[in-house]
Each structure stands twice: as C-alpha cells, then as structure tokens.
Amino acid sequence: MANPSILILAGDGIGPEVMAEVKKIIGWFGARRGLTFDVSEDLVGGSAYDAHGVPLTDETMARAQAVDAVLLGAVGGPKYDKLDFSVKPERGLLRLRKEMDLFSNLRPAQCFDALADFSSLKRDVVAGLDIMIVRELTSGVYFGEPRGIFDDNEGGRVGINTQRYTTEEIRRVARSAFELARRRGNKVCSMEKANVMESGILWREEVQWVHDNEYPDVELSHMYADAGAMQLVRWPKQFDVIVTDNLFGDLLSDCAAMLTGSLGMLPSASLGAPMANGRPKALYEPVHGSAPDIAGQGKANPIACILSFAMALRYSFDLGDEATRVEQAVEKVLADGLRTADLMGPEGGKPVSTSAMGDAILAALDASL
Ligand code: IPM
Ligand code: MG
C-alpha cells in the first residue's frame, strides 16, 4: 500500500518556523515507528501571492484535493493588509476550506496541567478543562450571497453579508458533533442566536431533529451564543462538545483558546466527507495566526502545530495511540518547565526557542519507546 500523503503549506509569518518542528516529528515517525509519510510542500497565503500573484494557485488547490491530509501553518501579515480583498492571504485558506468542503472544524480547548496557572482565569476554573468546539466551516456569513460593498444611490455606501444555512449544512455538522460526543462526555451544546435570527431558529430546529432522530442517547442543550460566551468564561467545564456556526465558532473558539493560557497551544482539524479510500478530506492547522511581530526570531511556540499533526494521526490515519504519544510528549516537556516566550508566566520556567522546544518533544518521544 502507498504511504499516506501529506501536503505541507507552511504559509506566512511564524508558519514556516513552527512547521519546521512538525517536519522533525514526521521524520521521527518514519525513523522510529516505521510510519513513513509522503510529504510534499507548497505555498499558501502571502508567500503564494509573492510568488504567483494569488494566495492559492489552481495547481496547489489540486494537490490539496489529491493528498490524504493538508497541514497548514498560518497565513497573513501587515505586508498584505492593503491588497485587494480577493487576493488577501486569508482568501487562500478560505478557498481550501470551501473547495475541499471541510464543513466540520474541530477546535479542542484542553488545559495542560502545567499551564493551569497561566490562564487569565483562576486555576480551579480551567484545570483539567477538555472541551471541543465544532465550528461549521464552509457556509454561513463567511460565504453567503449577496455580499459586497455597494453604492446606496444616495451618496453613501452599503456593506452586505448574508447569513445563510440550509437544512443539510446544519445536519451534517450536527452529526459530526454528536459522533464526537459519543466518544467523549456524550454531551452537545448547540449555540446560535435564535432570539434574533431566522437562520438561528433553523439551526436550533435542525440540530434538535438530528438529535431526536439519530442521536437520542446524547444529551443535547441549546444556548444563545452570547450567553454561551459568558458561560465559557464563567464555568467552561460545564461543556463537552459545543456545536455552532461559522462566525460564532470563530469568536467562541478564540475565547475558549485563551482559557487554556496561550493561543500557541491549540490545534485544529477541518474535516469533510470521506474520500474513496475512506479517509475524510482533511486540513490541520494551529488556531493561532501568523504572528508577524515575532516571525523569524525563534520565539514562536510550535506546540499548536505539532498537536495539529497529532490530530492528523488520529482523524486521518486512525493512529489514535500515536497521537496520544505526541500529546503525552508535549505534556512531558511542559511539566519539565520548558517554555517558549508566549508561555513565560510569572512562575518562570526554562526559556527555550522554537527549535529547542521541537527537539525536547523529540527527546520525549524517544523516551516513550
Ligand atoms: C480562524 C481565522 C480565520 C477565520 C481567518 C484567518 C480567515 O480567524 O481560522 O479562526 O476567520 O476563520
Ligand atoms: Mg479565528
């Protein structure tokens, strides 16, 4: 059988630095676990724009469709702020999500014990936290038509975006949330704004329909997204799986991320329908951005990107035990006090560079054998 294939799109800013550490981990699996991946690399975002004038070429798009999993670093930077909207780095990422139809975005927020004091919330609120936000990723206000900036014919302008969801778009992401819940705490909380938005009413009704007809064994609750944001910082451990739309999911997942102390810790998986080989269409990326302010200085935290690769092991390659091995290696180096700059709290620790953090995780992987 052919080796599983991975396309690396390191992107901009700290993307290439954190991805360099992931490549070491991928190499380790080949050398030490007999798991060889066919790795190829290409450009996305500003780096693709610099080379080709577009944030994602058709050729790269086709390669992404053909591999088993895409690993993405980060896109964007101040250099590209003034570009026309249609060629902004972010459009490359949005095109990948849309054309690969990656409708289910898994954003775990887990608090590592060694970092519990690092959260802006009190230790007992976050210690042991393990929640999963499932964000719809291919529809809603990010893609709805009509959209644009138009003349209002009275000398002013009007900006329009459209929140639009269909029955099937809601049902398929709801299903992925219920499936995940069954393998975790068996609880789903769905968030929308059914009090002000018709699309929110539909969302609530369809999630309830999927529950009643297909997953009656899973506990389901509904919450308005604003109340959900409040509950997330008040007592996040009340949640297991949260399912929500594209825009609310964008906001709520940043909020949940910060509970854990650092954006530099959080991975994500974006999954679509199964391909011919049974594996889901999949893209893995850290939740953090390109952090242009620290790019190129060896300060970036590679853990979110490394944990994204761990999610690839689990969700694309059915290697849950190997994913756990990576997660435990990360836990070990944190417990040992190793800290990249973003993790340097008042309690101190051993300051390490991006690559030293990667090397320490490799050493912990060696020790796990
Ligand atoms: C995210 C990011 C993206 C989004 C941007 C970079 C387009 O914020 O993945 O959360 O808004 O979805
Ligand atoms: Mg975001």
Side-chain angles (χ1 to χ4, degrees), residues 23 27 30 32 43 52 89 154 168 174 179 200-201 203 225 228 236 258 265 271 274 326-327 329 360 365:
K23 286 192 240 169
R32 307 301 303 273
L43 302 173
H52 305 295
E154 291 169 12
E168 202 36 52
E179 288 292 335
I201 296 174
W203 183 279
M258 219 41 224
M265 297 296 302
L271 306 176
V326 174
E327 289 156 0
L365 283 172

Side-chain angles (χ1 to χ4, degrees), residues 35-248:
L35 292 165
T36 304
F37 297 90
D38 284 340
V39 179
S40 56
E41 291 191 57
D42 212 331
L43 302 173
V44 70
S47 58
Y49 177 82
D50 289 339
H52 305 295
V54 287
L56 187 80
T57 64
D58 293 344
E59 292 72 38
T60 311
M61 186 67 240
R63 293 175 79 182
Q65 295 282 19
V67 293
D68 291 319
V70 177
L71 295 185
L72 189 135
V75 295
K79 186 176 158 198
Y80 310 104
D81 280 351
K82 295 228 159 60
L83 287 184
D84 185 73
F85 194 67
S86 64
V87 290
K88 274 195 188 300
E90 291 77 9
R91 305 304 303 173
L93 177 56
L94 293 174
R95 181 175 177 197
L96 284 164
R97 290 174 179 174
K98 186 69 180 175
E99 291 192 20
M100 293 171 75
D101 202 19
L102 306 171
F103 60 87
S104 180
N105 181 211
L106 279 40
R107 298 192 163 187
Q110 251 169 316
C111 186
F112 288 87
D113 229 29
L115 298 179
D117 289 318
F118 204 79
S119 171
S120 48
L121 299 188
K122 296 191 185 77
R123 172 176 261 276
D124 67 313
V125 176
V126 296
L129 179 72
D130 177 9
I131 63 181
M132 178 74 87
I133 297 191
V134 179
R135 168 190 178 192
E136 198 293 325
L137 202 61
T138 52
S139 185
V141 76
Y142 272 57
F143 297 98
E145 300 280 349
R147 65 183 298 161
I149 301 175
F150 306 96
D151 287 331
D152 69 356
N153 297 321
E154 291 169 12
R157 295 188 301 160
V158 52
I160 298 178
N161 290 92
T162 302
Q163 169 79 332
R164 180 180 188 278
Y165 271 107
T166 65
T167 295
E168 202 36 52
E169 285 170 345
I170 300 167
R171 287 186 185 179
R172 65 182 187 172
V173 73
R175 286 187 186 104
S176 74
F178 286 122
E179 288 292 335
L180 273 170
R182 276 184 176 163
R183 286 185 264 139
R184 302 169 37 100
N186 214 37
K187 267 189 349 189
V188 171
C189 180
S190 169
M191 296 187 187
E192 28 55 20
K193 287 283 288 178
N195 50 346
V196 288
M197 297 165 76
E198 284 78 1
S199 58
I201 296 174
L202 187 74
W203 183 279
R204 186 174 284 222
E205 291 177 356
E206 294 299 345
V207 172
Q208 189 69 48
W209 187 93
V210 172
H211 171 267
D212 296 350
N213 288 279
E214 300 174 15
Y215 300 89
D217 53 300
V218 181
E219 190 185 315
L220 171 66
S221 60
H222 303 274
M223 221 179 251
Y224 297 138
D226 54 344
M230 186 267 282
Q231 291 297 337
L232 257 183
V233 287
R234 192 186 71 85
W235 189 243
K237 286 186 230 173
Q238 70 187 278
F239 298 112
D240 176 27
V241 175
I242 292 172
V243 64
T244 189
D245 77 13
N246 204 340
L247 183 60
F248 294 141

